[in-house]
Amino acid sequence: MSRAAVSRAAVVIGAARGIGAATTRLLAETGWSVLAVDRGSDDPRLPYALGSVRMLEELATEAGSPAHPVVARVADTCDEAGLVGAIGEAEDRFGGVDAVITTAGVIAGGVPIWEMPAAQVEAVLDVDLGGVVVAARVGIPALLRRPEPRSGRFLAVSSTAASRGLPMLAAYGAAKAGVAGLVRGLAAELRGTGITANSVSPGSTATPILDESARLYGLDAASAFAGQHAIERLIRPEEVAAALVWLAGPAGAAITGIDLPVDGGLAL
Ligand SMILES: NC(=O)c1ccc[n+]([C@@H]2O[C@H](COP(=O)([O-])OP(=O)(O)OC[C@H]3O[C@@H](n4cnc5c(N)ncnc54)[C@H](O)[C@@H]3O)[C@@H](O)[C@H]2O)c1
């Protein structure tokens, strides 16, 4: 895709690092303007570090250009009022929003769900499902504010954990299965609007959340997950980003209501 191929505006939520940062970079490289959103602070309910404001600001500086800016914005995807402000800023700066891509997510588990601290179960369900619902409730009205004919995209990240029974990750799997169900329902609700809704389900992707998964399973390193894939290596965040950006572009126009595995054959 050439840099001049598209000139559109996206909001990426969960952008400070990992798959969201890779998606932001690829969008900016392929002609999109991006509002890059992240909570930029740790979640006190969880024992591992999340993305920081500094990471988000460095991403904006490195990935943006005068023609296709990347603007950093701190907001929590579970905070509806905060997200309304962020989406409003994107509309003010870019004249509208063509894609809302939510990659924000957290993980917890490592024990059966009945042994998890209640606050961790709540964090996983709040962020991994509730946060996507908020992103849809706030983001889709902005996509609908674009004049017809529209080509808006709502994209979320589910997980292989949605379709396989992964032990010690039941809360995470429940939230991610909810995301796949949500986009199917959204696709039906968006019938005739020109806007599509889809999710992508990564396998084990080399980002900090996978390091936390390895810790939850008592593994020395996340590289131990590579053998689960038919491709016998971890997935790179850029490979998940490529699927999201492809779905966001013109090639994705006829695809709606699906959950696309980017899992290196994990589900085989
Ligand atoms: N890495 C994998 O192996 C893998 C596999 C399947 C699915 N996923 C999903 O992919 C998505 C991206 O994860 P990643 O691998 O890049 O992990 P990551 O931990 O590197 O990035 C997640 C980002 O989301 C942000 N975030 C967390 N809670 C937030 C909130 N309430 N509001 C706004 N931002 C918030 C974090 O600060 C962080 O920057 C997540 O939804 C994750 O569940 C990842």
Side-chain angles (χ1 to χ4, degrees):
M1 212 182 306
S2 79
R3 208 178 161 82
V6 287
S7 180
R8 308 179 78 205
V11 175
V12 178
I13 306 168
R17 70 183 190 193
I19 292 167
T23 302
T24 299
R25 282 195 203 94
L26 185 56
L27 286 167
E29 279 169 23
T30 52
W32 292 72
S33 303
V34 185
L35 191 85
V37 178
D38 203 283
R39 65 173 278 145
S41 61
D42 295 343
D43 186 323
R45 298 170 294 188
L46 298 171
Y48 73 104
L50 300 182
S52 67
V53 174
R54 185 172 168 185
M55 288 174 195
L56 190 65
E57 287 176 345
E58 284 178 359
L59 172 74
T61 306
E62 286 163 20
S65 66
H68 302 295
V70 174
V71 177
R73 169 82 185 213
V74 174
D76 188 320
T77 192
C78 300
D79 170 16
E80 191 154 326
L83 220 52
V84 166
I87 297 278
E89 179 175 349
E91 290 184 291
D92 290 346
R93 282 181 180 263
F94 307 140
V97 174
D98 302 290
V100 174
I101 304 177
T102 178
T103 65
V106 296
I107 201 161
V111 291
I113 195 168
W114 57 90
E115 293 178 16
M116 281 178 73
Q120 291 190 8
V121 175
E122 181 193 272
V124 167
L125 297 177
D126 272 5
V127 178
D128 292 346
L129 180 55
V132 181
V133 171
V134 173
R137 283 171 46 75
V138 176
I140 289 174
L143 300 175
L144 286 165
R145 284 192 283 274
R146 279 296 208 198
E148 295 187 63
R150 301 184 198 90
S151 54
R153 302 283 193 269
F154 181 80
L155 294 168
V157 182
S158 179
S159 169
T160 310
S163 50
R164 296 186 78 199
L166 297 184
M168 316 304 165
L169 288 179
Y172 183 76
K176 293 299 187 180
V179 170
L182 174 71
V183 298
R184 274 197 298 274
L186 288 174
E189 290 180 353
L190 287 164
R191 169 183 283 270
T193 62
I195 298 166
T196 62
N198 294 292
S199 59
V200 164
S201 271
S204 294
T205 306
T207 71
I209 211 173
L210 195 67
D211 297 334
E212 178 62 5
S213 305
R215 193 189 69 77
L216 291 172
Y217 278 115
L219 301 171
D220 289 339
S223 55
F225 290 116
Q228 296 177 308
H229 296 149
I231 61 173
E232 292 191 331
R233 62 168 175 82
L234 296 182
I235 296 158
R236 296 191 306 272
E238 293 76 14
E239 293 173 310
V240 183
L244 287 166
V245 174
W246 180 76
L247 283 167
I255 299 171
T256 194
I258 68 151
D259 178 49
L260 176 68
V262 183
D263 68 354
L266 175 56
L268 291 176

